Amino acid sequence: MKKFVKYWFLWGIVLVLQGCVQTHEVRFAAIGDFGEAGEEEKNVAELVKSWDPDFIITLGDNNYPDGDASTIDANIGQYYHAYIAPYRGHYGRGADTNRFFPSLGNHDYHKSPTADPYLAYFQLPGNGRYYDFVKGSVHFFVLNSDVHEPDGVTEHSKQARWLKEKLKESNDPFNVVYFHHAPYSSGHHGPTKRMQWPFREWGASVVLSGHDHTYERLEVRGLPYIINGLGGKNLRYGFPKIYPGSRVRFNKEHGALLVEANEIFMCLRFYSEDGDLIDTLKLQARS
């Protein structure tokens, strides 16, 4: 009994030192640029499943190289079918209720300007291209940052007006906005100016994206932006030009983001595929 108490006391100290919540209402994983069947995606998927997350979100490029219907199940369902509902693929039993919430990336559009294979494979809220949902203390807002989006991708587009209104209506402790193209980045692609919307002013707590195959955490005008494009694509980028506000950069291995939240705190931790903790960010609930 003494050993048990001592263990949990020490574990509590570790959690505090890592800046993490000790009790959580919701636990989820975030992966980006992941959909290329192979050893790298398998390793990240095994890491993610070891966390037993309540659900998974994706930051785009779910189906390399071209978003084709013939590759989508091997690239996604092979590794994550247990989280998808309804699952109509060939790799086993799906989830009873959907626990997989993707966002569109540019590679999901290569074969179809309307992303038909993606929209047919998933059953998502809203129009499937951009939508919102709530889990515990977290309200999620999923955007489509690709130029093929019929409702636009600029700050004054129909899609942006939808986001602004939805964020205004939200009374949840945390508002997580996520999509593919990084508004700010030190990576190969660099900043995506069309997605530099006033997220903080509209009420976002954090913005997650992919596109650059790196991990990077930035702070821009008081809002944290996290890039996680290391989900499994067998190509990692460098950092040719460091963007102002860049706080943490990593590209040595693939990996995934683990997020835990309660009514007061949210803890975001990025782990490499080997299980090494690379970065931790702790956020406090909106007042």
Side-chain angles (χ1 to χ4, degrees):
M1 183 67 180
K2 288 183 179 179
K3 288 184 178 180
F4 181 83
V5 172
K6 182 180 179 181
Y7 169 80
W8 280 106
F9 175 75
L10 292 174
W11 179 238
I13 292 174
V14 170
L15 289 174
V16 170
L17 290 175
Q18 291 183 349
C20 293
V21 298
Q22 295 188 48
T23 60
H24 62 270
E25 285 187 340
V26 61
R27 174 195 283 135
F28 65 95
I31 52 176
D33 301 81
F34 70 98
E36 183 179 68
E39 193 68 21
E40 290 79 6
E41 183 178 3
K42 178 184 176 184
N43 290 342
V44 173
E46 289 178 351
L47 172 69
V48 166
K49 285 182 273 191
S50 75
W51 299 333
D52 191 24
D54 300 322
F55 57 96
I56 298 169
I57 69 173
T58 86
L59 309 177
D61 282 0
N62 307 270
N63 182 17
Y64 286 102
D66 297 315
D68 193 76
S70 65
T71 58
I72 195 167
D73 196 35
N75 284 337
I76 303 173
Q78 180 175 185
Y79 305 99
Y80 296 107
H81 59 271
Y83 293 87
I84 300 171
Y87 176 64
R88 308 178 187 92
H90 307 287
Y91 288 96
R93 186 173 183 271
D96 294 328
T97 59
N98 189 53
R99 299 193 291 146
F100 198 85
F101 298 93
S103 65
L104 279 157
N106 53 294
H107 281 270
D108 300 310
Y109 274 102
H110 281 193
K111 279 291 181 70
S112 171
T114 52
D116 291 341
Y118 172 98
L119 294 173
Y121 192 76
F122 297 111
Q123 190 173 100
L124 301 170
N127 60 28
R129 305 185 314 273
Y130 60 92
Y131 57 94
D132 70 313
F133 62 98
V134 178
K135 296 288 187 181
S137 57
V138 186
H139 198 147
F140 295 86
F141 303 85
V142 190
L143 301 182
N144 182 12
S145 59
D146 194 84
V147 293
H148 290 91
E149 170 52 49
D151 289 342
V153 290
T154 67
E155 176 186 344
H156 303 290
S157 64
K158 179 179 178 180
Q159 180 182 201
R161 293 195 299 271
W162 170 86
L163 176 66
K164 183 178 181 180
E165 188 60 31
K166 284 288 187 177
L167 282 169
K168 183 179 179 181
E169 294 171 356
S170 174
N171 294 315
D172 299 286
F174 297 97
N175 291 330
V176 173
V177 178
Y178 68 93
F179 49 89
H180 184 57
H181 298 80
Y184 310 98
S185 173
S186 304
H188 170 73
H189 291 297
T192 303
K193 291 185 179 181
R194 67 173 180 271
M195 294 306 300
Q196 293 177 0
W197 303 359
F199 296 108
R200 183 182 65 82
E201 291 80 0
W202 290 355
S205 304
V206 62
V207 173
L208 309 179
S209 60
H211 198 42
D212 270 325
H213 300 177
T214 63
Y215 174 80
E216 184 173 15
R217 175 162 58 87
L218 306 94
E219 184 173 328
V220 181
R221 293 190 294 277
L223 184 69
Y225 290 80
I226 292 178
I227 300 166
N228 173 21
L230 294 175
K233 170 64 176 173
N234 188 19
L235 175 65
R236 287 176 279 121
Y237 296 163
F239 299 100
K241 185 177 181 180
I242 306 305
Y243 194 89
S246 179
R247 299 287 186 262
V248 179
R249 297 177 297 278
F250 176 81
N251 63 355
K252 293 181 180 179
E253 297 177 22
H254 292 81
L257 193 68
L258 172 64
V259 186
E260 295 174 318
N262 56 30
E263 294 285 337
I264 303 172
F265 295 110
M266 173 182 283
C267 179
L268 304 94
R269 293 175 288 178
F270 182 80
Y271 288 90
S272 74
E273 62 185 275
D274 288 336
D276 295 328
L277 178 63
I278 305 301
D279 186 34
T280 300
L281 174 66
K282 186 175 182 180
L283 301 177
Q284 192 162 352
R286 301 182 308 131
S287 56

